[in-house]
Each structure stands twice: as structure tokens, then as C-alpha cells.
Amino acid sequence: MKLSGKVAIVTGGSRGIGKAIAKEFAVNGASVVISGREQKNLDESAKEIGAFAIQADIRKESEVQSLIEKTIEKFGRLDILVNNAGVFPKIKLLHEISDSEWRDVLDVNLNGPFYATKYSIPHLQKNGGAIINIASSAGIKAYENFNADAYSASKAALVLLTKCWALEYAKNKIRVNCICPGVVETDMTSEFLSTPATREMMNYAYPIGRFGTVDDVAKAALYFASEQDSPWATGAVLPLDGGESLK
Ligand code: NAD
């Protein structure tokens, strides 16, 4: 098993992409901690996929610090961090976005990964390890009528931070990589993908002929998490979008 003996944290792991990654890691032998805001949802998902649940709001530094400390208390080490928790704002033109709407997105999508990475690094430095940032194709390309600028800004920042952290911590054998998915069917996109017409339009938009699934992202995360599979990959930014970002 590729992650045998490894300990991983997946933020926002109770559903969607995070849950699929946590499941893939658990199946591959890792001890997996999933974190999120609601204990009940976390407990249900943890039971289903064989993970350990720790409640933590990613926007709150003290809760994130405690998430890392509790993981170390429970498992004694940390090898893999997946910065996955994220939110998508209401679609609005830039000049219509309020200050609080802007900050709400950056709090989760940018400050969250900062806190989780900050408190994980001292533990990852002990044995080396892997950080996987879940950004978005919106972090590498502008889309007409997308109108989610705080989201694009947060994901573009995560793309560059991937490179900064990769360069800084390569000496500690911490590999830092980033996945930029296109549209993946989850709760985040369910409203958008709710009509047959939109689904068909989206499938058509992707050169490979379909939009993404959570398992597409989980397989890519396993690649970056596995020292065996990707020992030389660090600072990589992987567009995972059926070729859409090439257009
Ligand atoms: P989702 O809404 O199903 O899941 C988001 C997760 O983040 C949930 O578990 C939620 O509880 C958690 N979360 C949100 N705010 C939080 C907070 N304050 N503290 C702790 N946890 C919090 O969405 P998803 O599609 O699974 O998204 C996962 C990641 O993938 C996000 O970072 C998202 O931006 C990114 N992404 C998604 C898509 C897509 O099309 N679904 C595309 C590109 C990137």
C-alpha cells in the first residue's frame, strides 16, 4: 500500500473532493484525519471511510493549531497535509462585492491553508512529507462571466504559495504540489449542474468530453502524496480539467 504508516490530514474532508481524497488515502494504508466545522457530518463521514474526525474551523488560527496538536497526540506524527477546505462565493461583478463577502472567501481559501501549513511544517520537517494544495483552474486562468474574483484571487495565491513553500522546504524533504481542477460535481457545483442543459454544455466545454469527478482529483492527490510515485515532484501545478484550460 502506497501510504502505509503515513499520517495525513485532509481539511474539509467530510464531503466532496476532500472526502474522496481521504478515502483514497485510507484505502492506501494511511491513518487519515478529516477536519471540518460540523462534528456530526465529520463523524458520519469518518465512520464511512475509516478516518478520524477532528472539528476545526479553518478560519480560526487557534482551532487549526489544535487540529494539528490533536493529530500528533493521536498518531504521533504527521506526513501529509491536504489543504482542501474551500468556499465559493455568490456570483457578482467586482464592483458589487462587499468587503465582508471578499474577506469571507479569503478567510477560508487563503488564510485557512496558511494556518494549516504553518502549524504542520514543524512536524513535517521531522521526517519529510507532502503538502497538496487544492486550488482551481480559476487560479491559473481568467474566465469571462465567472465573476468570482475573491475565489480566483485566493486560488491564484495558493498556486504561487505552492511554489514558494516548495522552494523553501525542499531542504527538509517536504514536497509541495498543487492540483487545479476544472468543474467537478460536488455540493459546491450542484446548483450550477442541476439542469440537463448545463450538464451537456459543461461536458461539451471539456475537450476530453466530460466534467470532473471527485475520484479524478483523489487519484491525482494520491500521486502527489506517495513518495514512491512522485519523489521528484515539488512545486508542480497540475491543471486537472480534461484539457479545458488549454483553450
Ligand atoms: P464542497 O463544498 O463539497 O466541500 C468543501 C469542504 O470545505 C466542505 O467539507 C466544507 O465543510 C469545508 N469548509 C468550508 N468552509 C470551512 C471552514 N470555515 N472550516 C473548515 N472547513 C470548511 O466543495 P468541493 O467541490 O469538494 O471543494 C473542495 C475544494 O476543491 C475547495 O477548495 C474548492 O475550491 C476546490 N475546487 C472545487 C471545484 C469543483 O468544481 N467542485 C473545482 C476546483 C476546485
Side-chain angles (χ1 to χ4, degrees):
M1 289 201 282
K2 292 181 177 184
L3 302 182
S4 197
K6 303 291 185 192
V7 176
I9 295 176
V10 182
T11 68
S14 65
R15 65 177 201 227
I17 290 171
K19 184 177 173 186
I21 293 173
K23 187 176 170 194
E24 188 72 26
F25 285 7
V27 165
N28 278 276
S31 301
V32 184
V33 171
I34 55 171
S35 74
R37 276 167 308 175
E38 285 159 31
Q39 192 70 51
K40 188 169 168 284
N41 296 345
L42 276 174
D43 287 341
E44 281 169 11
S45 296
K47 197 170 168 207
E48 187 189 327
I49 62 180
F52 186 71
I54 299 178
Q55 191 275 335
D57 185 330
I58 204 77
R59 297 168 297 186
K60 300 190 177 142
E61 182 168 5
S62 60
E63 292 192 17
V64 179
Q65 182 176 12
S66 152
L67 160 68
I68 310 299
E69 284 169 2
K70 285 179 184 162
T71 301
I72 300 297
E73 268 168 37
K74 169 85 183 160
F75 295 107
R77 58 186 288 148
L78 178 64
D79 304 282
I80 301 158
L81 168 68
V82 184
N83 283 314
N84 167 78
V87 288
F88 192 81
K90 280 207 170 67
I91 300 291
K92 281 186 181 180
L93 284 162
L94 178 79
H95 68 275
E96 294 166 343
I97 303 170
S98 72
D99 183 62
S100 66
E101 285 170 328
W102 177 265
R103 285 172 195 275
D104 285 350
V105 174
L106 290 173
D107 267 353
V108 179
N109 294 8
L110 182 56
N111 296 348
F114 160 59
Y115 299 142
T117 304
K118 170 180 166 174
Y119 289 104
S120 294
I121 288 282
H123 301 287
L124 296 174
Q125 279 175 321
K126 290 176 189 159
N127 307 298
I131 298 173
I132 299 149
N133 291 327
I134 308 299
S136 165
S137 49
I140 49 175
K141 187 179 162 182
Y143 291 89
E144 200 168 9
N145 300 322
F146 187 61
N147 295 330
D149 288 330
Y151 186 83
S152 299
S154 67
K155 296 302 188 181
L158 207 48
V159 167
L160 192 66
L161 288 172
T162 299
K163 298 179 191 186
C164 297
W165 298 341
L167 205 51
E168 205 55 48
Y169 296 107
K171 54 176 147 334
N172 302 126
K173 302 285 179 282
I174 303 172
R175 299 177 302 105
V176 188
N177 294 290
C178 179
I179 301 170
C180 295
V183 169
V184 173
E185 187 160 25
T186 66
D187 288 357
M188 190 177 274
T189 50
S190 59
E191 203 182 317
F192 176 61
L193 292 172
S194 61
T195 69
T198 338
R199 298 177 75 84
E200 194 173 332
M201 184 187 79
M202 287 317 294
N203 282 333
Y204 183 75
Y206 286 81
I208 214 87
R210 63 168 177 87
F211 50 80
T213 67
V214 293
D215 288 335
D216 291 325
V217 187
K219 300 273 184 225
L222 177 63
Y223 168 73
F224 284 131
S226 162
E227 173 70 26
Q228 191 182 318
D229 284 350
S230 61
W232 214 38
T234 196
V237 176
L238 176 71
L240 189 68
D241 58 9
E244 194 278 336
S245 59
L246 300 171
K247 296 204 293 182

